[in-house]
């Protein structure tokens, strides 16, 4: 998937749609923002604090599982190959992996 694949749906401004492996996939605004961020940093590991800051504008919050929930939702919609875990570090989008 590249930036051209992430197109905003017209029916609902809060729900974004794009084609992924022949299917129309709907993402929330936060899911779409995160997908675009990890794609733009392809191959670079993003830490949980970086993701919290870039997606929600939050400083590090050790008590939140927002990032894990968001990653899980994207994996459910886009498949496990979209984003990989880097143990004890963060997450990476690396389609060549």
């Amino acid at each position: 998937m590249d930036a051209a694949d992430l197109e905003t749906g017209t029916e609902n401004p809060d729900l974004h749609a794009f084609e992924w492996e022949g299917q129309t996939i709907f993402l929330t605004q936060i899911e779409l923002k995160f997908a675009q961020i990890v794609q733009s940093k392809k191959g670079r590991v993003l830490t949980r604090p970086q993701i919290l800051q870039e997606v929600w504008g939050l400083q590090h919050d050790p008590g939140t599982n927002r990032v894990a929930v968001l990653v899980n939702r994207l994996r459910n919609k886009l498949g496990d190959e979209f984003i990989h875990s880097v143990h004890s570090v963060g997450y990476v989008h690396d389609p060549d992996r």
Side-chain angles (χ1 to χ4, degrees):
M1 176 182 2
D2 59 29
D5 294 321
L6 299 171
E7 295 181 7
T8 304
T10 54
E11 293 88 11
N12 183 340
D14 294 326
L15 197 58
H16 304 271
F18 63 95
E19 290 296 314
W20 175 257
E21 296 180 352
Q23 295 183 8
T24 301
I25 305 294
F26 295 94
L27 299 179
T28 66
Q29 189 171 0
I30 292 292
E31 291 167 343
L32 180 66
K33 184 176 183 178
F34 180 55
Q36 290 171 326
I37 289 168
V38 296
Q39 277 193 304
S40 72
K41 299 176 188 296
K42 178 179 154 184
R44 290 181 26 208
V45 177
L46 295 170
T47 65
R48 288 165 189 82
Q50 285 175 312
I51 296 167
L52 280 170
Q53 175 62 43
E54 291 195 40
V55 174
W56 288 282
L58 299 175
Q59 298 303 316
H60 180 67
D61 180 1
T64 186
N65 68 343
R66 287 180 189 222
V67 174
V69 170
L70 179 58
V71 167
N72 189 47
R73 288 192 337 225
L74 276 182
R75 284 179 175 158
N76 286 337
K77 291 181 179 185
L78 302 176
D80 292 338
E81 70 280 354
F82 182 76
I83 188 165
H84 302 280
S85 298
V86 178
H87 184 69
S88 298
V89 179
Y91 300 95
V92 63
H93 171 66
D94 187 358
D96 301 325
R97 198 170 192 199

